[in-house]
Amino acid sequence: LKHRGAPLVVRPVIPPAPGMMGRRLHKRGSRLAAVLLAAAAAALLCGGWPLSGATDRSEAFVTVDGEEVGASVYGTAIFALGLSVFFSISYQRSKILQAEEAQSEEPPPFEGKKPRIDAFDSLRFFLIFYIASGHFIATATKNAMLLNLISQINVVVGAFFVLSGYVAAYTTTELGQRKGSKRLDNSIEFAVSRIMGFWPLHMFVLVIFLPMFFWVDASYSGVPKALWNGFLSTTLLQAWFPLSAEVWNAPTWFLSAFSFCLFVMPYALRFLATQKKAELRKALVFLTFLALVPRLSYSYDLKAWSIFEGTLSARTHPNYALFNALRFSPFAATCEVLMGAIACRLVMLDSNKPAELVGSSIPVLLAMVSIIVLRAMGVIALNDMLVRSLAFIPLWVIFLMRIHRESVGPGGPKALPKILCNSTLQFLGGISFPIFILHGPIGQLFYKKAVVMKVWGQPLSTPLPDGVHWFFGVYWLVVLISAALVNRYFLPSSFVKTATQKISKAICNMFS
C-alpha cells in the first residue's frame, strides 16, 4: 500500500499475552480502592479537620484569602474526583475483561458440591451490630463524633440487601454454567419458603412484646390505628406505607421490603443466570443508575445534597415523608438485591483466567470505613442516600466478590476470609438474624420513654457528653443472650419446623 507516494506499513494489532493482561488487571483492580483511599486522605488533609479541633460536622473550616470556607467543600470535591477516577478505572478494566472473555471458551461445568462461604456469616454480624447500635446510640451519648460515626445506618443497610441477593444467587444458580437450578422453577414456592424462614420468629417476637407494642400505639394513636399497625406488621406490608413503615418492631421494615424482592427474584434470576459476564456488567451499571436517579431527585427537590439523615428526626428533616418513601421503597431494595445477585454470577462464571485476579479485599474494606469516618468528621458532605448509591454499595459489591474469590480460590482462604471464619465470629454470625429481630423491642423496653417510665419508673440511661453510658453494654448483653436462646431453642424446634412447613404448603396450594 502507498500513502502520498510512500509505502504504508500495516502492522497487525497483537493483543497482550494472557499473563500480561492478568498482571495489568491485577494492578488496576488493586488501584480501584486505592484511588478512593487516596481521595479520602487528600480530603482529610485539605479539609483541615485535625487543625480545627471541632467535634461537630458544621464547625470544620479552612481559611482562604482571609475568609472562612467550609472544609467539607474541599473534602467533598476531592471525594467526587476520586469517585470519577474510580468509575473510570472500573470502566477500563471491564473493557479489558470483556476482550479477554471474548477470546476464551466458557468454563467447564462444575462438578460436586458448591463450597460454602462462611465469611459471609461474620459479615452479617458486623452489619447488624452497626445498624442495631445506630438505632439506640443516641440514648447513650451526646458526643457529636460518636453519633455521626454510628448513625449512618441508611448508608449501611443497603449492604444487607446486596448480601441477601448475593447469597440467593449462589444457592439457586449453577456454578460455572449459564443456567438456574430447579429451585427457580416454582416462583411461589421460592418466595413463600424463604418468607416462612423468617416470619415465624418475627411473629413470635410480636406476640411476646404485644402488650408493649399495642399499649404504646393505642395510647398515642388510638385503638383503631393500633389494630391497623398490628395488621401491617403481621403481614409484612409496612414498607409500602412510608409513614407507618417503622410501626411496632421498627427494623422489620427490612423484612417487608425483602419479601417483595423474593417474589421478583425467581423471574430475575432465571434471566440473569443465562447471561454472559459482559451482559451482567451492563445490567449492574443499569441497576446502579436506576437506584441512583430517585435519590438524585430527592436531593435536588429538597436541596438536601449535604444533610446527615442519620442524626435528623421527623421534625428536623426537610421532608420526612419523602425520605421515608425513598429509604423504605421495596423497588429500591429490589435494585440492590439484584446487584448482589449479578455480582455473585460474575464470580460463579470465573474460569481461573489471569484477568480474574483483581486484588485484595482489604483496601476495599478500608475505603468503605474511611468514607464512614470522613462523613462523621464533616470532611465529606453528601447525604446518606447519595453516598450509599455512589460509593458504599459499589464498593460493597466489589468487596463481596473479592471475599468470595479469596475464600474459594487456589491456595485456600486468604487473610481476611480466614479472620472472618473465626469460630467466635461464626457463632455471632449464626445468631445475627435473631439479633436483628430482637434488638428493636428490647431497645424499646429499655429506652422508649413511655415504656421505661411505665415499667421501670425512671430512665435506665442518660446520654453522656463524652463516651458511652455503661447501660448500653447491658443492652447489648441482653440482646446477645436473648438471640442465642432463641437460636438454640426456638428456631430448631420441631413444632416450629412442622408448623412452618404446613403453613408454607397451604399458601403454595392456595396460589398454585
Side-chain angles (χ1 to χ4, degrees):
L1 298 175
K2 289 186 177 181
H3 178 65
R4 294 183 180 177
L8 180 65
V9 180
V10 180
R11 295 184 177 89
V13 179
I14 302 174
M20 184 186 302
M21 186 177 290
R23 287 190 294 272
R24 185 187 303 172
L25 277 168
H26 182 79
K27 290 180 181 178
R28 289 186 178 180
S30 299
R31 290 173 189 161
L32 287 177
V35 165
L36 283 185
L37 282 173
L44 180 60
L45 293 174
C46 293
W49 181 272
L51 302 177
S52 69
T55 57
D56 186 84
R57 298 175 78 246
S58 61
E59 297 175 2
F61 295 92
V62 293
T63 302
V64 180
D65 296 332
E67 296 183 1
E68 286 187 339
V69 179
S72 61
V73 173
Y74 290 96
T76 306
I78 294 172
F79 177 65
L81 179 62
L83 281 176
S84 301
V85 177
F86 169 78
F87 285 117
S88 176
I89 293 176
S90 299
Y91 175 76
Q92 294 174 22
R93 189 165 66 85
S94 68
K95 288 297 183 183
I96 295 175
L97 282 167
Q98 185 173 343
E100 178 168 313
E101 289 158 5
Q103 298 173 8
S104 60
E105 298 180 356
E106 292 190 3
F110 176 80
E111 296 181 0
K113 188 177 180 181
K114 296 175 188 172
R116 193 176 189 278
I117 308 171
D118 293 324
F120 287 169
D121 291 336
S122 300
L123 292 179
R124 284 193 188 93
F125 169 72
F126 284 115
L127 290 175
I128 191 56
F129 180 78
Y130 179 87
I131 291 171
S133 296
H135 284 152
F136 295 102
I137 189 62
T139 65
T141 184
K142 291 182 179 179
N143 182 277
M145 180 63 185
L146 284 175
L147 289 173
N148 292 336
L149 193 62
I150 307 176
S151 298
Q152 300 180 49
I153 53 179
N154 296 304
V155 175
V156 177
V157 71
F160 255 129
F161 286 116
V162 174
L163 181 57
S164 300
Y166 201 105
V167 173
Y170 189 67
T171 55
T172 60
T173 60
E174 298 296 339
L175 187 59
Q177 302 178 62
R178 290 195 289 118
K179 68 176 185 177
S181 69
K182 293 182 179 179
R183 295 183 179 185
L184 299 175
D185 291 346
N186 189 325
S187 302
I188 297 297
E189 184 179 335
F190 176 95
V192 171
S193 62
R194 282 158 179 77
I195 292 172
M196 292 306 299
F198 53 74
W199 188 78
L201 180 57
H202 169 62
M203 277 304 302
F204 175 72
V205 172
L206 284 184
V207 171
I208 293 295
F209 288 91
L210 178 61
M212 178 183 74
F213 292 143
F214 191 83
W215 175 75
V216 172
D217 220 354
S219 298
Y220 287 90
S221 304
V223 173
K225 186 66 177 291
L227 291 172
W228 170 248
N229 288 340
F231 169 77
L232 293 180
S233 296
T234 301
T235 55
L236 293 175
L237 292 174
Q238 62 266 46
W240 296 97
F241 298 81
L243 294 181
S244 303
E246 294 182 293
V247 295
W248 291 27
N249 190 355
T252 57
W253 72 265
F254 175 93
L255 299 181
S256 174
F258 186 58
S259 296
F260 172 74
C261 300
L262 288 173
F263 283 99
V264 175
M265 284 186 69
Y267 302 99
L269 285 173
R270 286 180 209 159
F271 175 71
L272 293 174
T274 65
Q275 291 193 314
K276 296 180 179 179
K277 283 194 170 188
E279 297 167 329
L280 290 169
R281 292 190 195 96
K282 292 175 183 176
L284 185 57
V285 171
F286 172 76
L287 287 171
T288 301
F289 182 75
L290 190 62
L292 175 62
V293 169
R295 292 163 185 175
L296 282 172
S297 172
Y298 152 82
S299 304
Y300 175 80
D301 287 345
L302 299 184
K303 303 297 184 286
W305 300 99
S306 60
I307 65 175
F308 202 85
E309 291 98 326
T311 57
L312 300 180
S313 65
R315 294 180 179 179
T316 55
H317 192 283
N319 191 324
Y320 209 62
L322 179 59
F323 176 52
N324 278 0
L326 191 67
R327 64 172 173 153
F328 298 139
S329 168
F331 295 107
T334 303
C335 287
E336 291 176 339
V337 167
L338 293 180
M339 288 180 202
I342 291 171
C344 182
R345 287 301 302 164
L346 285 168
V347 179
M348 292 179 74
L349 293 178
D350 280 354
S351 56
N352 296 321
K353 296 187 292 288
E356 291 162 357
L357 301 173
V358 290
S360 169
S361 58
I362 294 177
V364 187
L365 176 62
L366 293 176
M368 289 188 290
V369 173
S370 298
I371 290 170
I372 297 294
V373 173
L374 290 174
R375 288 192 75 229
M377 296 172 69
V379 177
I380 297 174
L382 277 178
N383 67 48
D384 290 10
M385 309 313 289
L386 289 180
V387 170
R388 174 169 164 176
S389 284
L390 288 172
F392 193 83
I393 292 301
L395 284 171
W396 179 255
V397 166
I398 295 172
F399 179 69
L400 290 182
M401 293 173 68
R402 292 190 179 185
I403 287 290
H404 188 166
R405 285 176 171 133
E406 289 177 351
S407 298
V408 302
K414 302 296 188 295
L416 188 54
K418 280 185 178 179
I419 294 173
L420 293 173
C421 289
N422 172 274
S423 58
T424 301
L425 291 178
Q426 286 293 293
F427 170 77
L428 292 172
I431 63 172
S432 59
F433 175 64
I435 291 174
F436 166 75
I437 296 291
L438 287 163
H439 83 272
I442 293 175
Q444 290 186 45
L445 184 62
F446 287 162
Y447 293 122
K448 196 176 186 70
K449 185 176 180 180
V451 177
V452 168
M453 298 307 295
K454 188 73 173 179
V455 176
W456 310 104
Q458 61 181 2
L460 301 177
S461 174
T462 302
L464 301 180
D466 293 298
V468 179
H469 194 278
W470 62 269
F471 191 77
F472 196 67
V474 175
Y475 159 72
W476 260 111
L477 184 62
V478 173
V479 169
L480 290 173
I481 292 175
S482 302
L485 291 174
V486 165
N487 194 63
R488 175 68 177 84
Y489 296 105
F490 179 80
L491 293 179
S493 160
S494 57
F495 171 78
V496 173
K497 289 182 177 180
T498 302
T500 300
Q501 290 173 356
K502 289 181 178 179
I503 296 174
S504 298
K505 187 175 180 180
I507 295 175
C508 290
N509 290 336
M510 186 186 306
F511 291 99
S512 62

